[in-house]
Amino acid sequence: MGEYEQYLKSAIDIAKEASKILKPAFYSLASTLEKESNHADLVTEYDRRIETFIFTQLQQKFPDHLFLGEETQSLQKTHSILDKVTDEPTWVVDPIDGTTNFVHGIPSLAICIALLIRQCPVVGVVYNPITDELFHAAANSGAFLTSPTLPKDPTTGSTTHRLPLRKPHRLGPLRDMLVVTEWGSDLREKTVDAKAAMLKRVMVEGPVRGIRGWGAASIDMCYVARGAGDAYWEAGLHVWDFAAAAVIVREAGGVVVNWDKQKHEGGDSVRFEVLNVQTRNVLVVRGSHGPQAETEVADVVNSLRQFLDLTAIELK
């Protein structure tokens, strides 16, 4: 059993229990909607109920750990509820990633639970209870998808498969890539114009094969991990949006870095760049295959970074 397996198992069990709150609400169409200061940044009663449930369960199992969540981060800091990530073992939760999809009845959303140690994501669970897709990973133990739509193992009958689902093909050039991104909830004119300009450059100057988005950062990243997309980027995210999926991408052979280059730890390749979880942006590239795999990944990261301009985006 891996170093973090006990934490992963607990996170999976708690996510499945939390889904018993989310799934009936999705189909009841009876969620109570509240509006934050931004009309596009939605929160429902179920976001808060699910987050409270998850933290209660985690606190019972791991009383010495700290906690950070999308809804509780706005509350006064206590001995265990944080308003930012520290070096202590910290559970980070997004109770419904894709709240707008949830409100509009679009089945692309997830319960996200991550464990960070020294600000590094080491356990990640992304569970979509509507499609019953469970992405899960622990550091140095591989990434997996459990789904009833996947073929059963002829011996065990299991529908759990290692990610990526298909052997990675050669990565790049950009014209052969399907990339993933989102507009986000910050719809101020300056932010939208900046993101539109970057998107136009990627599409025209890249150019890329196509652009997709599933309306939830964790789902977008997990679909890159499974091999359905080649790269993903977004600015304006918070750590609870991407921490769980970051473990899954990395354990599936991909890289998760920031838009701007960070320091390296453990090696010189882009794979060893430290992910600054306090910086509200990520760039994700799937793994490749063959003797030039690391070079191909680095080339794609560097190519996309040319188009991603943080100075043009004023994050709220």
Side-chain angles (χ1 to χ4, degrees):
M1 178 178 288
E3 180 181 3
Y4 304 110
E5 288 302 313
Q6 62 164 323
Y7 303 123
L8 178 61
K9 183 180 185 306
S10 294
I12 289 173
D13 291 344
I14 292 170
K16 288 183 175 181
E17 285 298 310
S19 74
K20 295 177 182 179
I21 302 173
L22 191 155
K23 191 171 182 178
F26 179 83
Y27 288 110
S28 72
L29 304 178
S31 60
T32 299
L33 176 66
E34 301 176 21
K35 288 188 176 181
E36 302 286 16
S37 57
N38 178 353
H39 76 281
D41 190 10
L42 305 179
V43 61
T44 73
E45 64 173 296
Y46 294 102
D47 292 85
R48 296 193 173 108
R49 284 178 56 188
I50 293 168
E51 185 168 302
T52 298
F53 172 82
I54 292 172
F55 278 167
T56 299
Q57 298 298 309
L58 288 171
Q59 284 176 318
Q60 291 175 357
K61 290 179 177 291
F62 311 109
D64 296 331
H65 289 183
L66 303 178
F67 305 89
L68 175 64
E70 180 172 13
E71 308 310 325
T72 55
Q73 60 87 29
S74 61
L75 303 178
Q76 183 177 358
K77 181 179 177 180
T78 68
H79 72 285
S80 61
I81 302 294
L82 302 177
D83 57 6
K84 64 179 180 180
V85 178
T86 72
D87 286 344
E88 298 300 314
T90 302
W91 291 96
V92 178
V93 172
D94 191 342
I96 308 177
D97 184 26
T99 300
T100 300
N101 284 350
F102 172 75
V103 168
H104 288 273
I106 300 171
S108 179
L109 49 90
I111 297 169
C112 302
I113 303 176
L115 175 62
L116 279 66
I117 297 179
R118 293 182 294 277
Q119 302 195 33
C120 178
V122 296
V123 167
V125 172
V126 175
Y127 181 44
N128 182 343
I130 312 306
T131 61
D132 200 18
E133 288 183 311
L134 173 65
F135 296 89
H136 48 102
N140 305 314
S141 297
F144 301 87
L145 169 60
T146 303
S147 170
T149 63
L150 295 178
K152 290 184 178 181
D153 183 285
T155 303
T156 66
S158 172
T159 57
T160 296
H161 291 251
R162 195 178 187 100
L163 297 176
L165 293 181
R166 297 177 292 179
K167 183 178 179 180
H169 54 80
R170 180 176 179 271
L171 184 62
L174 292 183
R175 65 175 179 272
D176 296 331
M177 292 178 55
L178 181 67
V179 299
V180 186
T181 191
E182 303 285 349
W183 288 103
S185 59
D186 184 354
L187 301 183
R188 292 174 299 167
E189 184 175 4
K190 180 179 179 180
T191 303
V192 172
D193 286 347
K195 289 185 175 181
M198 284 184 274
L199 195 59
K200 180 179 179 181
R201 288 191 63 199
V202 171
M203 295 176 69
V204 176
E205 296 178 30
V208 294
R209 174 171 291 167
I211 295 179
R212 297 291 184 272
W214 286 274
S218 61
I219 298 295
D220 290 341
M221 291 174 66
C222 285
Y223 272 50
V224 172
R226 71 180 287 170
D230 296 304
Y232 162 80
W233 70 86
E234 191 170 354
L237 299 173
H238 295 275
V239 61
W240 48 79
D241 294 312
F242 62 82
V247 187
I248 295 162
V249 170
R250 285 176 164 175
E251 288 300 308
V255 299
V256 184
V257 295
N258 298 112
W259 286 19
D260 50 339
K261 191 174 182 179
Q262 303 290 318
K263 66 180 181 179
H264 288 67
E265 287 187 358
D268 296 327
S269 79
V270 68
R271 189 171 299 281
F272 294 101
E273 275 194 35
V274 174
L275 174 65
N276 184 348
V277 297
Q278 310 280 15
T279 302
R280 296 178 53 201
N281 62 83
V282 294
L283 170 59
V284 176
V285 177
R286 69 162 174 83
S288 187
H289 177 72
Q292 299 301 313
E294 292 302 294
T295 299
E296 291 171 8
V297 171
D299 287 347
V300 170
V301 168
N302 293 331
S303 295
L304 289 174
R305 275 177 167 163
Q306 297 179 43
F307 302 114
L308 305 178
D309 183 9
L310 274 176
T311 64
I313 299 178
E314 180 183 325
L315 299 177
K316 294 178 66 175

